[in-house]
Amino acid sequence: MPPLRILIVGSGIAGPTLAYFLSLPSSQNQQQQQQQQQPPFHITILERAPNLRTGGQNVDVRGAGLEVIRKMGLEAKIRASVTDEEGLLFVDTNNNIKATFPADKTGKTQTWSSDIEILRGRLAEILYGMTNGREGVEYIFGETIQALEQEDGGEGKVKVRFAKAQEEREFDVVVGADGLGSRTRALAFGEEESREWRKSLGMYTAFFAVPGVKTDDSWWRWYNAPGRRCVMTRPDNEGALRCFLSVVKEDPRLLNVLHKGMSAQKELMKEYFTGAGWELERILKGMEDAEDFYMDQVAQVKMPTWSKGRVTLLGDAGYCASLISGMGTTLSLCGAYVLAGELKSHPDDIPLALANYENNLRPLVTTAQKLQPGAPWIVNPETDWGIWFMNNVLGFVSWSGIMKVAMMFGAGPPAGAHKLEDYGFGEVPAVGG
């Protein structure tokens, strides 16, 4: 049987993880594969950016996601790259601490800060390093898909036209791992349906880094300003401070500016946050020069099915839980692992493999997408009084230890809510830090 040709659109977290597991021999067919002297899959990873995107903010790896990392032999390497975030502080305009929620460095309890907090770009570099040059894996940068055509009503191969090269290739499976605004989702399922399945949470966030100063520490700080405005700063291990500016409001300008470029987006954020207190003067000044600035709508993707014929979706493209869930990276890692396991288990029955992928992962996705009641509005008050009340409630919860007990009983992100199936991948040697 010739190798199955797999196209993965997107080289972020989910895509390379899928490629890695697909390129591994399964323990039960390792001997057979060695006799064949060829990998069971030929994997092409398509990335729109001209090179690997190494920017991005802090992401966390939790529960089942950590289990996937361990199966890849990457735990030590990833732990050597963490930001060492100590936990979360809620602060007022004078930087007075109103509530403290330390991270559980043992990883036994899921707190706001995970025991593994790592910059998205660094994680992407590690995963790229594990797959680039691997037999049967091909990366193509600066390219995207222009059109998809499925033969025999989705039962046959998928014809894909590349936008830049105007080249047409055939694949046995196409995997869209191209994020919340997935082009693959729109091409396979339709533009209108794709938009309908993207559920806005009424929140818009800008992300960027500013130069660090000596007074920066290892705590995640959360500051609320009236008008449902929120500012967060988080430590990194590269000499910068990672910043988040969020607005929870149904202002049409916030949606429209997403299509107007970085300068217009920065100008709107400056309008919203000028004079908001705390460290906004420093943060807004740093934003002006930030080349890694990125702004987007905070949303979830909820689809009745993730596959159509031989096209399937992975990670945020198919089941984004949103950044406020704390589960995005974990879902991407788990989804890649499960999809690889099913494709390797049923290479001669792709529809069964894709159906099993969804059936096995759907319970974890459903749990991850259940946000806390009232989120994100409840933690972004409209008035000064609302902020005062929230901070005092959080202060009591922090002081009393109620939150620690609640987290121990599952109030945190549900990273360990479901166990992953063992797909019998071969032994993977650990990769050191």
Side-chain angles (χ1 to χ4, degrees):
M1 179 179 177
L4 291 179
R5 300 182 65 83
I6 311 292
L7 175 65
I8 301 172
V9 185
S11 69
I13 306 303
T17 303
L18 173 61
Y20 176 78
F21 281 112
L22 287 176
S23 66
L24 282 180
S26 297
S27 58
Q28 60 263 36
N29 67 4
Q30 188 169 1
Q31 183 177 358
Q32 178 184 357
Q33 180 180 320
Q34 290 172 347
Q35 293 172 352
Q36 292 174 340
Q37 294 298 309
Q38 62 178 358
F41 301 93
H42 184 279
I43 304 149
T44 300
I45 302 178
L46 208 63
E47 171 56 50
R48 178 179 58 185
N51 43 51
L52 186 69
R53 293 184 296 120
T54 57
Q57 299 291 321
N58 307 52
V59 297
D60 42 34
V61 180
R62 302 174 180 270
L66 179 55
E67 183 181 340
V68 174
I69 291 299
R70 286 171 176 158
K71 289 178 183 293
M72 299 177 76
L74 287 176
E75 182 177 8
K77 192 174 186 68
I78 286 176
R79 286 193 182 277
S81 299
V82 298
T83 62
D84 289 323
E85 185 171 278
E86 293 294 331
L88 171 62
L89 302 176
F90 284 84
V91 298
D92 66 12
T93 191
N94 297 313
N95 208 33
N96 296 316
I97 297 171
K98 312 305 290 185
T100 304
F101 298 99
D104 180 3
K105 296 294 186 177
T106 69
K108 295 179 180 178
T109 302
Q110 294 302 317
T111 55
W112 270 308
S113 288
S114 171
D115 61 310
I116 297 183
E117 295 283 347
I118 184 172
L119 296 178
R120 179 213 163 274
R122 178 59 185 140
L123 181 56
E125 286 178 335
I126 292 172
L127 295 172
Y128 174 72
M130 290 288 286
T131 51
N132 184 39
R134 199 173 183 89
E135 186 180 8
V137 179
E138 167 196 23
Y139 275 88
I140 301 176
F141 288 97
E143 185 62 277
T144 187
I145 54 176
Q146 184 179 55
L148 292 172
E149 181 183 345
Q150 300 204 56
E151 298 178 346
D152 303 324
E155 295 297 324
K157 294 183 183 297
V158 185
K159 292 182 179 180
V160 178
R161 176 169 291 279
F162 291 175
K164 184 177 180 180
Q166 286 298 296
E167 172 190 1
E168 190 172 275
R169 294 195 193 183
E170 285 189 345
F171 296 92
D172 296 287
V173 181
V174 173
V175 181
D178 45 348
L180 178 63
S182 172
R183 174 67 174 157
T184 311
R185 185 176 69 235
L187 287 173
F189 292 88
E191 293 277 1
E192 185 176 345
E193 291 85 350
S194 181
R195 285 192 297 270
E196 288 178 357
W197 293 328
R198 177 171 168 157
K199 309 295 185 182
S200 172
L201 297 178
M203 181 176 182
Y204 297 83
T205 299
F207 313 84
F208 54 94
V210 302
V213 297
K214 290 183 179 180
T215 54
D216 292 338
D217 57 23
S218 297
W219 286 86
W220 167 12
R221 278 176 160 76
W222 180 321
Y223 167 70
N224 289 95
R228 302 195 186 279
R229 294 171 295 171
C230 177
V231 185
M232 299 184 193
T233 60
R234 303 186 74 168
D236 75 6
N237 50 1
E238 298 180 354
L241 188 68
R242 304 285 162 160
C243 302
F244 303 67
L245 301 181
S246 297
V247 180
V248 183
K249 184 171 290 188
E250 295 297 345
D251 180 351
R253 296 181 303 162
L254 292 165
L255 180 60
N256 294 336
V257 81
L258 299 180
H259 309 287
K260 294 183 178 180
M262 184 187 298
S263 296
Q265 293 165 9
K266 286 183 177 182
E267 195 60 36
L268 184 57
M269 287 294 102
K270 184 177 179 181
E271 176 186 329
Y272 260 103
F273 285 93
T274 295
W278 193 45
E279 297 190 14
L280 265 303
E281 184 176 346
R282 170 197 172 190
I283 290 170
L284 291 177
K285 186 176 185 301
M287 182 185 71
E288 292 178 2
D289 300 323
E291 296 181 358
D292 64 342
F293 180 94
Y294 173 72
M295 182 177 174
D296 205 352
Q297 178 188 59
V298 178
Q300 295 185 326
V301 176
K302 294 187 174 182
M303 302 178 64
T305 182
W306 306 328
S307 302
K308 187 171 184 179
R310 289 180 171 229
V311 179
T312 193
L313 301 173
L314 175 62
D316 284 355
Y319 37 86
C320 178
S322 83
L323 63 88
I324 64 176
S325 72
M327 287 290 290
T329 302
T330 293
L331 285 183
S332 291
L333 292 168
C334 293
Y337 171 78
V338 174
L339 179 55
E342 292 300 336
L343 287 172
K344 291 174 76 69
S345 298
H346 307 285
D348 55 347
D349 193 342
I350 299 302
L352 177 61
L354 298 184
N356 287 349
Y357 157 59
E358 182 164 342
N359 290 337
N360 290 341
L361 192 67
R362 178 72 75 169
L364 176 59
V365 170
T366 300
T367 302
Q369 289 186 330
K370 290 180 180 177
L371 304 177
Q372 296 297 323
W377 301 84
I378 195 170
V379 290
N380 291 279
E382 176 68 37
T383 64
D384 282 314
W385 183 89
I387 294 169
W388 175 88
F389 180 78
M390 183 190 79
N391 283 339
N392 277 276
V393 170
L394 290 172
F396 172 76
V397 170
S398 169
W399 168 82
S400 67
I402 292 174
M403 181 61 75
K404 184 176 181 179
V405 174
M407 292 287 189
M408 290 175 63
F409 284 92
H418 301 276
K419 297 297 181 182
L420 297 176
E421 184 175 335
D422 184 358
Y423 286 103
F425 292 109
E427 289 297 319
V428 180
V431 178

